[in-house]
Amino acid sequence: AIDSEDYLHVVWVCGRVRRCYRMSDDGGRSWSAAEPIFGNLLGVSGWDTMASDPYGSVFWVGTLRYPQAVYASVLRDGTWREPPRPLITQAFHLGLAGAHFPHLVVSRGNQLHLVLVEGDGGPLWYLHGQSDLPKDATQPTPWPRVVQMASPSPTPEATSDITTPISEEEPGQSVQLGVSLNPVVWAIAPVLLVLAIVFKVFRQRTR
């Protein structure tokens, strides 16, 4: 994970499937010493996941045992919260407590979004949480309703206008792009045409 100060943070499986941690404050040119974390908890469930927020915190989620559970921890001021907090225990949900392949993202400063795969093959679960830090008051940049791009200067090469709808909600709005067809495009076009014909013949035969 990369925090708000551009520091790099790595958690990996070490020793007897426990966890170790290192950080770099110079873009990965040098690293701190490996530090065992999370005590005697162990396990490998595909991978762990980490995400950072705008306040310098780094969040970690992984499935460990014993006891088996989906655990979470946060790194603040260079220190991991230990022991990690169990998010999902076997008492709460037996199958999900052994979830694999988690993926975590942070939005709006303090909104945590976690996706998990129950067991080895699903179903897929989504969990939403909130940290104890304030919500980011910055409004997301709205999608532009109309984008106008300057047309290129006339050249001897052929030109073509491509109209792409911005959204299904407003089909009348469009983006106008001036495209210069250079020799590379003319060289790729026949190849794409042949691939399209081969794909169509393949589909007809498979039917």
Side-chain angles (χ1 to χ4, degrees), residues 1-200:
I2 305 175
D3 68 17
S4 57
E5 300 295 328
D6 289 334
Y7 289 5
L8 307 181
H9 304 270
V10 178
V11 172
W12 76 98
V13 177
C14 62
R16 297 177 54 196
V17 293
R18 290 185 170 85
R19 294 300 184 273
C20 288
Y21 163 73
R22 299 178 81 174
M23 64 83 62
S24 172
D25 59 4
D26 57 9
R29 289 185 292 273
S30 63
W31 292 85
S32 63
E35 172 189 353
I37 56 176
F38 306 149
N40 292 324
L41 292 170
L42 53 88
V44 179
S45 298
W47 54 68
D48 299 348
T49 182
M50 292 197 299
S52 62
D53 67 13
Y55 307 106
S57 304
V58 176
F59 299 91
W60 169 93
V61 175
T63 301
L64 299 175
R65 59 184 190 274
Y66 297 94
Q68 181 167 311
V70 176
Y71 290 90
S73 184
V74 59
L75 176 73
R76 287 180 181 162
D77 298 325
T79 302
W80 285 100
R81 176 191 292 162
E82 295 203 50
R85 176 183 298 176
L87 290 181
I88 305 169
T89 64
Q90 290 181 309
F92 176 76
H93 193 294
L94 181 62
L96 196 55
H100 288 185
F101 311 114
H103 189 74
L104 176 70
V105 296
V106 178
S107 68
R108 302 304 304 276
N110 68 353
Q111 303 298 301
L112 309 179
H113 308 271
L114 177 64
V115 175
L116 299 158
V117 177
E118 182 179 337
D120 290 321
L124 194 67
W125 289 78
Y126 165 77
L127 290 80
H128 172 259
Q130 180 174 310
S131 75
D132 57 354
L133 295 167
K135 188 175 183 179
D136 185 1
T138 304
Q139 294 296 324
T141 304
W143 184 263
R145 296 175 63 85
V146 177
V147 177
Q148 294 290 342
M149 298 184 66
S151 301
S153 301
T155 63
E157 298 175 346
T159 61
S160 173
D161 288 335
I162 299 177
T163 301
T164 305
I166 286 182
S167 67
E168 296 180 357
E169 296 178 358
E170 297 187 20
Q173 305 291 345
S174 63
V175 180
Q176 300 294 330
L177 299 179
V179 180
S180 176
L181 301 181
N182 57 36
V184 175
V185 176
W186 290 115
I188 294 176
V191 177
L192 296 177
L193 179 61
V194 172
L195 290 176
I197 295 173
V198 171
F199 179 72
K200 184 175 181 181

